[in-house]
Amino acid sequence: MTTTLSDATVLIVDDEQSLADLYAYWIDEFAEARTAYDGTEALEQLDDTIDVMLLDRRMPGLSGDEVVEEVERRGLDVRIVMVTAVDPGFDIVDMGIDDYLIKPVDQPELVETVERMVVRSTYDDQLQEKFRLVEKKVTLEAAKTPHELEESEEYAELLDRLDAIERDLDTAVEDFDSSDFAVAFRELSNGDPVDSTEG
C-alpha cells in the first residue's frame, strides 16, 4: 500500500498533450508521473501500480466518464480526480470519482490534491466514501445556486448518504478505545497515514 507522495504513481490523462505533459512535469518533482493522451491509452496503462489518476472529462473517443465506468467494472483501487473545464452537473453524485477540479489548476493545487488522495487511499472503504461525498458536496455547492441545490434529487440523495455514513462512523468512534482514537485523530488531523500492513 502506497502511503507517501514520493512512493505514489500518478497517471495523467488529457487529450491536450502539452497540458498533460505540464501536469506530469509538476507532479514528477514529488511522485512518479505517467501520461496518456486519450481514454483508450489510459485504460491500457491502468493497473494496480497506479495510485492516483488525473482525468480529463471531455476527450475524443473514450470520454473521462467512460474511463471511470471501466475502472469501476475492473474493480481497480485507484483514486480518480477529474481535472476538467466542464462545469460539474448533478450526475457527479453517482460517478466513481474522488474529487473534481475545474481548469485552470496550478501546481500547488494539483500536488496538494494528489497528496490528499494518496493519504486517503490508506483509509477504510467507508471513510473513503465519506470523503468522496464531501468533495462532491463542496464541488456542487460552489457550482450551483441554492435554488438548483434545493430542487435536485441527486443532491438530496448525496446529503442522505453522507448523513448515513457519518452516523455509522460516529457509532464506530464510540467503540474505539483510547489508543484507537488517538491513532485515528492523528491520521486525520496531520494527514500522516497510519503505518499498517495489508490484510
Side-chain angles (χ1 to χ4, degrees):
M1 179 187 292
T2 300
T3 58
T4 64
L5 184 59
S6 60
D7 293 330
T9 301
V10 182
L11 178 62
I12 297 141
V13 187
D14 200 304
D15 64 301
E16 191 175 337
Q17 183 171 337
S18 60
L19 193 57
D21 291 347
L22 176 63
Y23 292 166
Y25 176 74
W26 289 349
I27 295 296
D28 211 38
E29 293 183 42
F30 305 94
E32 180 183 346
R34 302 177 188 173
T35 53
Y37 304 125
D38 61 45
T40 302
E41 188 183 349
L43 291 176
E44 288 170 356
Q45 292 199 46
L46 262 177
D47 57 28
D48 57 10
T49 67
I50 305 295
D51 300 291
V52 180
M53 177 166 58
L54 304 178
L55 178 65
D56 189 20
R57 187 168 189 183
R58 186 177 291 156
M59 297 182 288
L62 211 59
S63 71
D65 292 26
E66 291 171 309
V67 171
V68 171
E69 289 171 7
E70 180 62 17
V71 168
E72 290 186 299
R73 191 187 70 77
R74 293 187 190 179
L76 293 170
D77 184 21
V78 56
R79 309 279 70 74
I80 301 175
V81 180
M82 282 284 189
V83 186
T84 176
V86 179
D87 287 336
F90 289 107
D91 59 332
I92 70 168
V93 170
D94 291 317
M95 196 178 291
I97 60 172
D98 295 89
D99 204 350
Y100 196 103
L101 302 183
I102 303 293
K103 294 175 179 175
V105 296
D106 59 18
Q107 184 179 17
E109 182 181 16
L110 205 66
V111 172
E112 190 275 332
T113 299
V114 170
E115 187 167 31
R116 200 167 66 247
M117 293 302 115
V118 170
V119 171
R120 197 174 296 172
S121 69
T122 66
Y123 298 168
D124 67 30
D125 291 346
Q126 190 175 45
L127 200 52
Q128 285 189 36
E129 178 64 10
K130 174 187 173 175
F131 281 110
R132 279 190 207 104
L133 293 173
V134 168
E135 299 284 11
K136 291 173 182 179
K137 178 176 181 285
V138 170
T139 297
L140 289 172
E141 287 173 352
K144 303 297 182 183
T145 67
H147 177 71
E148 287 173 320
L149 294 171
E150 187 177 338
E151 293 294 310
S152 169
E153 291 180 9
E154 294 94 337
Y155 181 71
E157 177 199 342
L158 184 154
L159 294 181
D160 287 344
R161 283 160 58 183
L162 188 54
D163 186 55
I165 283 181
E166 287 178 339
R167 283 199 307 271
D168 286 348
L169 289 171
D170 285 345
T171 301
V173 168
E174 288 172 6
D175 293 336
F176 276 7
D177 66 22
S178 58
S179 59
D180 286 335
F181 188 79
V183 168
F185 181 77
R186 185 174 67 247
E187 181 177 9
L188 289 170
S189 61
N190 295 340
D192 297 328
V194 174
D195 183 16
S196 60
T197 55
E198 292 183 75

